[in-house]
């Protein structure tokens, strides 16, 4: 059970996958006595991020979620990353994956992932990647993918470790630049 009183734009979010594409139904049981189905999601073998708005329930003392699926004996539904959060209209998050080490003079690929964690679909963002404080790649807003809620764009950035670097360590950092972002705490990694 959760209490949403005073929350702005709360949502139930989760990732879901199913072996045979079993539909998942979401019901809300509320303190006022109402019990109703509020969403149905088709599932696939791959995880898909889903979101259900809960703003119609901010006046309730509490609500509980009931998730229902009809299964055959060889089927299952897997839920992950279940959360109830206030979802801002605009929020992008960036994640950088890099090899543990790169030999000086050699090349490696960095993976930059930008995920839309806001309500609105966005395409007016840019991505910058740095090695220490030196800009090594910039992906301009006209070259990025449009992202709806829960979608992730992946960008592979080549990196060559300098032969002349004076330290054994290099700080690699990715940054997403999005003027309308309401939560900048996740804009660099």
């Amino acid at each position: 059970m959760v209490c949403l009183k005073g929350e702005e734009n709360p949502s139930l979010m989760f990732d879901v996958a199913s072996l045979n594409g079993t539909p998942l139904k979401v019901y809300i049981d509320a303190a006022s006595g109402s019990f109703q189905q509020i969403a149905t999601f088709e599932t696939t073998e791959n995880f898909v991020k889903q979101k259900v708005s809960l703003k119609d329930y901010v006046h309730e003392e509490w609500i509980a979620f009931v998730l229902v699926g009809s299964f055959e004996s060889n089927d299952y539904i897997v839920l992950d990353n279940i959360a109830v959060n206030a979802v801002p209209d605009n929020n992008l998050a960036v994640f950088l994956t890099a090899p543990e080490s790169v030999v000086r003079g050699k090349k490696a690929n960095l993976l930059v992932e930008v995920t839309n964690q806001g309500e609105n679909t966005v395409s007016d963002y840019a991505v910058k990647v740095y090695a220490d404080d030196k800009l090594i790649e910039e992906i301009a807003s006209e070259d990025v993918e449009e992202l709806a809620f829960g979608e992730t764009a992946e960008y592979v950035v080549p990196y060559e470790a300098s032969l002349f670097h004076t330290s054994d360590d290099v700080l690699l950092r990715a940054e997403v630049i999005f003027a309308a972002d309401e939560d900048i705490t996740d804009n660099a990694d």
Side-chain angles (χ1 to χ4, degrees):
M1 285 189 272
V2 287
C3 177
L4 301 174
K5 283 193 172 204
E7 294 293 327
E8 288 187 35
N9 202 25
S11 292
L12 168 66
M13 295 175 286
F14 54 89
D15 299 334
V16 61
S18 171
L19 181 63
N20 293 324
T22 300
L24 178 69
K25 297 176 182 177
V26 180
Y27 293 84
I28 294 289
D29 184 10
S32 63
S34 69
F35 183 81
Q36 60 184 338
Q37 180 180 338
I38 61 169
T40 300
F41 297 106
E42 297 300 319
T43 62
T44 67
E45 288 184 27
N46 299 316
F47 278 101
V48 176
K49 183 170 286 302
Q50 301 293 356
K51 178 177 66 67
V52 180
S53 174
L54 301 173
K55 57 183 157 190
D56 292 342
Y57 301 94
V58 296
H59 62 280
E60 296 284 352
E61 279 298 313
W62 57 263
I63 61 170
F65 310 103
V66 179
L67 306 174
V68 178
S70 297
F71 304 98
E72 302 294 323
S73 61
N74 62 345
D75 195 11
Y76 57 84
I77 285 183
V78 179
L79 298 168
D80 198 9
N81 300 318
I82 302 168
V84 175
N85 291 322
V87 177
D89 289 335
N90 298 295
N91 183 27
L92 293 179
V94 67
F95 307 95
L96 173 66
T97 304
E100 177 106 5
S101 63
V102 179
V103 176
R104 288 184 176 151
K106 298 293 182 183
K107 294 180 180 180
N109 285 328
L110 311 177
L111 177 63
V112 178
E113 297 174 294
V114 177
T115 301
N116 185 357
Q117 297 179 343
E119 290 279 346
N120 296 333
T121 298
V122 299
S123 61
D124 56 341
Y125 63 96
V127 178
K128 293 182 179 182
V129 181
Y130 298 87
D132 287 330
D133 291 327
K134 180 182 176 190
L135 180 66
I136 61 171
E137 182 81 19
E138 182 170 4
I139 304 163
S141 60
E142 57 269 7
D143 297 323
V144 297
E145 296 178 34
E146 182 176 88
L147 297 173
F149 171 81
E151 291 183 335
T152 298
E154 295 182 347
Y155 304 98
V156 176
V157 175
Y159 168 69
E160 184 173 355
S162 172
L163 285 170
F164 306 105
H165 198 270
T166 57
S167 170
D168 287 339
D169 296 323
V170 175
L171 176 62
L172 298 171
R173 180 172 54 93
E175 182 179 331
V176 63
I177 294 90
F178 179 44
D181 207 315
E182 297 169 46
D183 178 7
I184 61 170
T185 62
D186 52 8
N187 287 19
D189 186 30

